[in-house]
Amino acid sequence: MLRTGQPHGGLPAGNVRFVRPFATRFMTHLMMHCTSPCMSLSQSMFTIVDLAPSILAGGNPIEHVVDKDLHGFSIGEHKVALSAISLVVGAVIVFVVLSMAAKRIATGPSSAGTDRYLTKGRIAQIIEVIVQGLRDGVLQPLLGKETTARFLPFLLTIFFFILMLNLFGMIPFMDIQEFVFTLLGHEHKLAPGETPVWFGGTATASIAVTAGLATLSFFAILYQGFRDLGVKGFIEHMAGGKDLLYGPLMLKAVVPIMLVVEILGLFIKPAALSIRLFANMVAGHTLLATLLGFGALAYSAKGWGLAVPVSAVAVVAAVAISVLELFVAFLQAFVFMFLTAVFIGMMSHHGDHGHDHDHAHGHDHGHGAHAH
């Protein structure tokens, strides 16, 4: 049951099924009990102090991070998770934003003169810089021009999609909806693992979401392996390479071990991608929820005398962690994309990069000869 208040006699001892952040609880009780125009300042302060145990009541911080099912919404017999809504909304926003940016980045009509080469709009300019930086500074040196051109749309889509989902988690959509429900006096009979909100949270804090993204990377790795190496070359790669497979007889004894290790590696790589992204996003948001709960612990121990300074320090620390989380949102999107590119590159022919380099080197010499 979603409750709008707690008894005033102290912090609740039972489990809190639905956890509200400190700010939401504070503003809700303040507006419900302190809105009378005739109430004096002293009466208002007395009401706030009297409601402090209810305002500061907290629960397990992980409950505010884990994925939940939508209350009263299902497809057939299957419940719909909150992260599924975030995935759909995130995909639509990424598609719309990148489509609009592509139109603004594209070369304009010749009637515009030299201005047709200029990218219009700040967002489009930022996206152009990010794309060029990832392509020219990261992917081409790692994969070579040909492989980069083949996988660039996939890798950029993965990057921007994960980035969008990570940024969603930093905006308190869930808290806003909880506050509105409480303000309007709506009560919901919730089953375990359900939430009344319809959108919000961090989708990448769900292992199901990160595993799905890693599965896409897994198939991209396999596709590159079979396309670039062929079936025979792929098997040779899994067995340790031609030098080991067709080398001296003593080395062939290592082939079964290499085969097992490489097969395990095919599944360990995407699993590592999934767990890394999931763990980083859960850890950051759990830390924020824990910091904001220190005020409740201090109040239950020593009252307002300890709760006020502890809450002040916790809020400052939470702001600092939020700035760090913004950096982590970009970093984890980049790491997921970069490691996927690394694993794809490991399935390419050795010397692909050297071929690109030699081709470019010879091309430059050709231009030099024309210049002479």
Side-chain angles (χ1 to χ4, degrees):
M1 181 84 104
L2 178 61
R3 302 178 182 177
T4 57
Q6 298 286 353
H8 296 177
L11 292 176
N15 292 330
V16 180
R17 180 174 296 179
F18 198 77
V19 181
R20 295 189 190 92
F22 172 80
T24 303
R25 300 178 69 92
F26 180 83
M27 290 302 298
T28 300
H29 286 288
L30 182 64
M31 295 185 68
M32 290 176 64
H33 295 274
C34 303
T35 53
S36 174
C38 299
M39 183 178 291
S40 64
L41 178 61
S42 60
Q43 289 174 315
S44 300
M45 293 304 299
F46 177 79
T47 303
I48 296 172
V49 173
D50 186 49
L51 291 171
S54 175
I55 295 170
L56 293 173
N60 185 356
I62 198 68
E63 288 293 325
H64 192 65
V65 181
V66 296
D67 195 17
K68 296 181 175 67
D69 295 325
L70 296 178
H71 173 66
F73 182 71
S74 61
I75 300 177
E77 298 180 355
H78 303 282
K79 294 183 178 180
V80 178
L82 191 63
S83 59
I85 305 300
S86 297
L87 289 175
V88 174
V89 175
V92 171
I93 292 178
V94 168
F95 176 78
V96 172
V97 171
L98 293 184
S99 297
M100 294 177 62
K103 292 180 180 179
R104 293 175 178 270
I105 294 172
T107 303
S110 57
S111 58
T114 57
D115 289 343
R116 63 179 175 157
Y117 299 107
L118 299 178
T119 300
K120 305 168 185 64
R122 294 298 176 87
I123 295 179
Q125 291 170 354
I126 293 174
I127 291 176
E128 182 182 26
V129 170
I130 292 175
V131 169
Q132 287 186 342
L134 292 176
R135 184 193 63 188
D136 300 339
V138 177
L139 297 178
Q140 283 189 357
L142 180 65
L143 300 176
K145 291 183 178 180
E146 181 181 347
T147 307
T148 297
R150 185 182 308 130
F151 285 96
L152 186 64
F154 169 74
L155 294 172
L156 290 179
T157 301
I158 285 287
F159 172 79
F160 284 109
F161 185 54
I162 293 177
L163 176 61
M164 181 62 65
L165 297 179
N166 291 346
L167 294 178
F168 273 168
M170 302 195 64
I171 304 174
F173 293 116
M174 292 180 63
D175 303 335
I176 294 172
Q177 293 172 78
E178 293 165 13
F179 173 71
V180 172
F181 289 150
T182 306
L183 187 64
L184 298 177
H186 290 177
E187 295 186 356
H188 301 83
K189 294 182 179 180
L190 302 176
E194 285 189 344
T195 177
V197 303
W198 286 84
F199 176 72
T202 309
T204 45
S206 169
I207 190 65
V209 172
T210 59
L213 294 170
T215 301
L216 295 178
S217 298
F218 172 74
F219 285 113
I221 295 168
L222 286 182
Y223 169 78
Q224 171 62 12
F226 283 110
R227 186 187 187 283
D228 204 48
L229 302 176
V231 176
K232 180 182 177 181
F234 183 82
I235 295 175
E236 291 173 346
H237 173 82
M238 298 296 291
K242 292 182 179 180
D243 294 338
L244 186 62
L245 192 60
Y246 304 115
L249 183 62
M250 293 298 295
L251 292 179
K252 291 184 179 180
V254 187
V255 171
I257 300 176
M258 292 297 300
L259 188 61
V260 172
V261 170
E262 289 291 340
I263 291 175
L264 290 176
L266 277 179
F267 298 95
I268 291 173
K269 290 169 185 175
L273 288 175
S274 174
I275 295 172
R276 178 184 288 107
L277 178 58
F278 164 74
N280 277 279
M281 302 315 298
V282 169
H285 288 77
T286 303
L287 178 58
L288 283 174
T290 303
L291 286 173
L292 294 176
F294 282 160
L297 297 176
Y299 180 86
S300 63
K302 295 293 183 180
W304 281 110
L306 182 62
V308 171
V310 169
S311 297
V313 174
V315 169
V316 173
V319 172
I321 294 297
S322 296
V323 176
L324 180 61
E325 279 294 290
L326 181 62
F327 169 73
V328 171
F330 282 85
L331 177 63
Q332 290 305 316
F334 170 78
V335 168
F336 195 100
M337 180 217 68
F338 176 74
L339 291 180
T340 299
V342 170
F343 298 149
I344 289 174
M346 292 171 64
M347 288 295 180
S348 300
H349 279 298
H350 299 295
D352 179 32
H353 308 162
H355 172 74
D356 288 336
H357 176 75
D358 294 340
H359 178 75
H361 187 63
H363 189 65
D364 291 339
H365 274 294
H367 278 294
H370 282 296
H372 284 298

